[in-house]
Amino acid sequence: LGANIAAIRSDLLSTIEGEPKVSGSGEIYLSPNAQKALQEGAKHMKALGDTYLSTEAVLLGLAGVSNTRPILERHGISDKAL
């Protein structure tokens, strides 16, 4: 795709750091955006005919999430390119 992976990673890490944190619990929680990304990934998994949630399906799911889409677009990565 020709994108700067280090810059995308930096932007994504900044976004993740901005997410609310849960502490003091033995439970693991996903943010609403993370849950949506996995749900969208599961839709792509079915569309791709996969029987497992591949990294490709997760990436496509992440591309549809409100806090991830602008980062990908800013780095020239469109849905069509994915």
Side-chain angles (χ1 to χ4, degrees):
L1 298 173
N4 182 335
I5 301 300
I8 294 171
R9 184 176 190 273
S10 176
D11 286 353
L12 289 171
L13 288 174
S14 294
T15 299
I16 291 168
E17 287 300 317
E19 290 287 324
K21 309 283 186 284
V22 176
S23 62
S25 172
E27 299 292 320
I28 297 173
Y29 295 96
L30 290 175
S31 71
N33 282 323
Q35 289 176 12
K36 182 172 181 181
L38 291 176
Q39 290 168 346
E40 291 298 313
K43 290 178 189 176
H44 288 288
M45 172 190 80
K46 290 177 185 175
L48 294 168
D50 290 340
T51 56
Y52 60 93
L53 190 58
S54 66
T55 55
E56 292 87 355
V58 171
L59 178 59
L60 291 168
L62 282 168
V65 177
S66 62
N67 65 347
T68 309
R69 176 180 291 281
I71 294 170
L72 296 175
E73 288 175 349
R74 186 168 49 247
H75 292 281
I77 300 174
S78 66
D79 288 346
K80 186 175 181 172
L82 292 174

